[in-house]
Amino acid sequence: RPKPNTKEMKESLAFFKKTESLLTGKLTSPRVLIDICGGHGMIAMIYLAFQKVDLAVVLDKEERASLNSMWMAWAEFLPDRTKLQVVLGDFRATLPGL
């Protein structure tokens, strides 16, 4: 069973702790998070696991194999894969269309 890299897990949780209070009560429905240059998607998955967003989009130039590993590691907390979308492309060109 895959497991998250400890360093990346700590960094992602630290980011979540610093930012989630800034967003609480400020997002309208549907609550969407775009994880730019999201790579492994861990920040997006943390926001979904804590039910802070309704949909999370991981935007990166290419899909990393670690994204599926993270999904499998988090599957117990994220039963609905449709709530996590992966969009591939350069964020400067792709972000305006999201």
Side-chain angles (χ1 to χ4, degrees):
R1 182 175 165 122
K3 66 178 187 174
N5 173 292
T6 302
K7 177 183 173 282
E8 290 183 4
M9 184 70 184
K10 287 180 180 179
E11 290 172 355
S12 296
L13 284 170
F15 180 84
F16 172 77
K17 287 179 183 179
K18 289 282 187 185
T19 60
E20 68 94 14
S21 64
L22 298 172
L23 300 176
T24 300
K26 295 182 175 77
L27 298 176
T28 58
S29 188
R31 301 167 303 161
V32 178
L33 172 82
I34 301 175
D35 188 357
I36 299 172
C37 302
H40 48 62
M42 200 176 312
I43 291 171
M45 292 181 205
I46 291 170
Y47 267 89
L48 285 170
F50 281 94
Q51 300 177 353
K52 298 295 182 178
V53 296
D54 302 311
L55 174 69
V57 178
V58 177
L59 172 58
D60 211 327
K61 285 186 178 181
E62 56 189 49
E63 186 172 344
R64 294 189 203 170
S66 60
L67 181 71
N68 283 328
S69 294
M70 288 302 98
W71 183 263
M72 289 174 15
W74 286 82
E76 180 180 343
F77 307 102
L78 304 168
D80 188 355
R81 175 78 191 238
T82 64
K83 292 185 176 194
L84 178 73
Q85 296 180 2
V86 178
V87 176
L88 303 179
D90 184 289
F91 76 90
R92 293 167 287 209
T94 308
L95 189 58
L98 293 179

